[in-house]
Structure formats: C-alpha cells, structure tokens
Amino acid sequence: MLDTHGRKYVDPIINSGANFLLKLKLTANNVTVIALLVGILTSVFIYLDMNLIAVVTLWLSGYLDAVDGAIARKTKTTSLFGTLMDITFDRVVETFMIISLALKYVDARMNFIVLLVCIIISMTIFLTVGALTQKKGMKSFYYQAGVAERSEGFILFTLMILLPNFVALFTNIFSIIIFITIIQRIIEAKKIL
C-alpha cells in the first residue's frame, strides 16, 4: 500500500540515487546484485545481534532495490531478466531474514513458517496475475497492489529486529496483512482475468 501510494513522494530521492550510481557507471543489474548482497548482510547482522546495523542494511538494500528500476528506465535497459532477478532477489533477502530470525527466536519458529507460507501464496498470485494479464504499468508486468507491499514488510522486519520481545506479535501482524493482500489479489484477479 505504501509503495503504491507513496512512490511519488520518494521518487526524487530514488532518481538522485540512480543519477549518482549512473555516474559511477553501474548498470541496473549491477545495482540489483548489490541490493541482494546488502540484503543478505542484513541476515548476518540479525544473527550476530547487530540490530541497528541490520536495520540500516535492510533499508539500504530496499533503497537500492528501488534505484535499480529507476536506472533501467533512465537508460532504457529494462529487461525481462532484470525483472526476474529483482523479484527473485527480493524473496531471497526476505527468506534469509526469516531464517535468521527463526534461528534466533526458537519459540516463534511456527510464526515464521506461517509468514513464509503467506508470502509464497501472495507472490504466487501476484506473479500469476502479472503473467496472465495484458495490462502493464511503470513496471515490466502488471503490478497488483495490496495492503502488504515491500515497505510494509520492511517496517515489520524493522520492528522484529529492534523489538525482539515482540517478534512473534510482529510476525503474526505481518502474516495477517499478507493474508488480507492475498484476499485482495484474488478478488482483483477474478475481475481482470
């Protein structure tokens, strides 16, 4: 929801990052890989109890994840493979964080399993609708908005990292908003397919 409705407010910051990285001669795919590596570092920092650094790397990876698309659009180098990398690497970063949190917080492991299941179902619908519909927007495929988008996930991961006493609660809230998104996406899919 925040990504869909707030993008116009953060676009100037994303575009300045894209311009800066273009001056360094980085391609969109280079930035996508850097975002992945920084995102994976987040999991390492979570596991090592370096929570503030974990939050910084989490948000830096998310920022780079937005900048790579801006670079691709500016240089007219958008590609289906770049889209594949972007979506896959996002899930890799999320999965690594969930595994790292589950290793640390044994009592909340079932909560993390439910969260992963919700993410898998939501992304299956998202990608299937994107593949089956002819509509296209700013992205290279149809983007199904929902209550739980990347920013909401980052906010909840941040809360899990910084407030470990409430990790199960925040994990459950995350699962609930993804479940709501699943319902939204199914209803929308029924209308457009």
Side-chain angles (χ1 to χ4, degrees):
M1 184 168 62
L2 292 174
D3 293 356
T4 300
H5 299 294
R7 181 68 185 232
K8 60 186 168 208
Y9 301 109
V10 295
D11 263 347
I13 299 165
I14 291 169
N15 285 320
S16 3
N19 292 336
F20 174 76
L21 293 175
L22 279 168
K23 287 179 187 170
L24 297 178
K25 306 288 187 218
L26 291 174
T27 67
N29 288 349
N30 295 149
V31 176
T32 303
V33 171
I34 293 167
L36 168 69
L37 297 175
V38 172
I40 289 173
L41 267 179
T42 301
S43 301
V44 174
F45 292 135
I46 288 170
Y47 189 75
L48 296 175
D49 285 324
M50 301 172 74
N51 294 343
L52 290 178
I53 296 172
V55 169
V56 169
T57 55
L58 170 64
W59 285 92
L60 177 60
S61 109
Y63 176 69
L64 292 172
D65 181 46
V67 168
D68 63 2
I71 290 173
R73 287 184 290 280
K74 283 176 179 288
T75 57
K76 297 185 181 3
T77 57
T78 57
S79 71
L80 297 177
F81 186 72
T83 300
L84 172 71
M85 283 178 33
D86 190 57
I87 292 171
T88 303
F89 291 176
D90 289 352
R91 302 299 77 74
V92 169
V93 169
E94 290 168 0
T95 302
F96 269 65
M97 281 193 295
I98 291 169
I99 290 169
S100 184
L101 288 162
L103 288 172
K104 281 185 66 164
Y105 304 108
V106 179
D107 293 344
R109 282 191 182 161
M110 194 61 193
N111 307 73
F112 291 119
I113 290 170
V114 170
L115 176 59
L116 273 174
V117 169
C118 288
I119 290 170
I120 290 167
I121 294 169
S122 180
M123 287 308 299
T124 300
I125 296 166
F126 176 81
L127 294 172
T128 304
V129 171
L132 295 176
T133 187
Q134 299 301 315
K135 292 182 177 183
K136 289 194 179 186
M138 181 177 80
K139 307 231 178 206
S140 54
F141 62 96
Y142 180 66
Y143 184 90
Q144 246 189 327
V147 172
E149 295 179 356
R150 194 98 160 119
S151 295
E152 288 81 6
F154 276 44
I155 290 166
L156 285 159
F157 278 126
T158 298
L159 292 170
M160 287 179 215
I161 295 166
L162 295 179
L163 302 169
N165 291 337
F166 302 100
V167 73
L169 172 67
F170 292 126
T171 304
N172 292 341
I173 291 170
F174 198 179
S175 295
I176 289 166
I177 66 169
I178 293 174
F179 184 75
I180 292 167
T181 301
I182 289 168
I183 302 303
Q184 284 180 305
R185 288 180 172 163
I186 289 171
I187 292 168
E188 182 187 19
K190 178 73 174 145
K191 290 177 185 173
I192 64 175
L193 294 179

